[in-house]
Amino acid sequence: MPEKRTMANLALVGFMGCGKSTVGRQVARELGFEFVDTDQLIEDRAGMPIPEIFASEGEAAFRVLEKEVVASLANQTGRVIATGGGAVMNPDNFANLKTHALVICLWASAETLHERTRHQSHRPLLQQEDPLGTIREILKERGPVYKQADVIINTELRPQREVAAQVRHQFQESSCT
Ligand code: S3P
């Protein structure tokens, strides 16, 4: 169990396609929390969609916006926060989330993540000739970081409502300790 902290919010981390937004929305509804998505907040700030930010400003500029957005959530309460898959690769972002949120990682294998993302085109990092190879490569690098979450939930072969129920349960448990 995570050490005793203020769990004003619940943050979902994990690779692209692991279900952070879908699960997050459902959990927020069930908890009566507000759902926020860092990607959406970034797009609102930039006034353009993420693929356009990557294309016109580059990934580094995207990460600057991402860091600002993550920092802006620190004084909020009652939020379920879905983070972009790369957000916690910046240790400042991870540390920041842990000051106010229970951080839950949704885990899936590279093959499953590929299956879930292969027909989508809004993720610039996966617009490659060999998306599965790319997923494997990035996951290898990110895996050890994702595993520093307070809780890791395996989403393989499980319906999203079941994953959502487990996320909610973990959050409620942590809030009672
Ligand atoms: C990214 C994940 C995306 C988005 C951006 C970069 C990443 O969010 O932040 O395309 O580095 O993994 P999702 O995880 O919500 O797809």
Side-chain angles (χ1 to χ4, degrees):
M1 278 304 282
E3 69 277 20
K4 194 163 181 166
R5 303 201 310 254
T6 308
M7 302 302 184
N9 302 298
L10 162 58
L12 294 174
V13 306
F15 204 86
M16 298 170 267
C18 68
K20 293 164 292 188
S21 299
T22 322
V23 167
R25 266 198 198 87
Q26 185 171 340
V27 174
R29 245 192 333 266
E30 290 168 357
L31 289 173
F33 276 22
E34 191 179 320
F35 173 75
V36 292
D37 186 326
T38 59
D39 286 344
Q40 185 58 56
L41 296 176
I42 292 166
E43 290 187 338
D44 294 348
R45 268 184 197 224
M48 60 180 120
I50 285 169
E52 231 174 285
I53 306 175
F54 270 70
S56 64
E57 321 275 337
E59 182 175 348
F62 171 82
R63 298 298 172 197
V64 170
L65 283 174
E66 187 171 57
K67 188 172 174 186
E68 285 172 15
V69 160
V70 169
S72 76
L73 297 169
N75 52 9
Q76 305 198 353
T77 60
R79 305 279 193 277
V80 174
I81 304 162
T83 62
V88 291
M89 294 308 289
N90 181 325
D92 292 344
N93 291 343
F94 213 153
N96 194 321
L97 288 169
K98 280 202 175 176
T99 63
H100 59 88
L102 180 75
V103 180
I104 298 186
C105 169
L106 301 185
W107 184 262
S109 67
E111 291 69 23
T112 297
L113 294 166
H114 177 238
E115 232 3 86
R116 291 181 189 162
T117 53
R118 60 195 291 232
H119 298 301
Q120 301 171 340
S121 59
H122 62 282
R123 295 183 175 99
L125 295 180
L126 300 183
Q127 301 312 299
Q128 314 282 342
E129 253 182 44
D130 174 18
L132 177 57
T134 304
I135 291 172
R136 284 197 179 116
E137 210 172 289
I138 307 178
L139 193 58
K140 203 164 152 195
E141 180 197 337
R142 292 185 179 176
V145 176
Y146 290 150
K147 286 177 180 163
Q148 291 164 31
D150 297 308
V151 178
I152 300 164
I153 295 179
N154 189 353
T155 70
E156 288 288 319
L157 303 173
R158 297 173 68 196
Q160 252 156 358
R161 61 179 160 68
E162 201 181 301
V163 175
Q166 194 177 345
V167 168
R168 198 184 67 229
H169 174 76
Q170 291 285 353
F171 181 71
Q172 286 168 331
E173 283 282 297
S174 78
S175 308
C176 296
T177 52

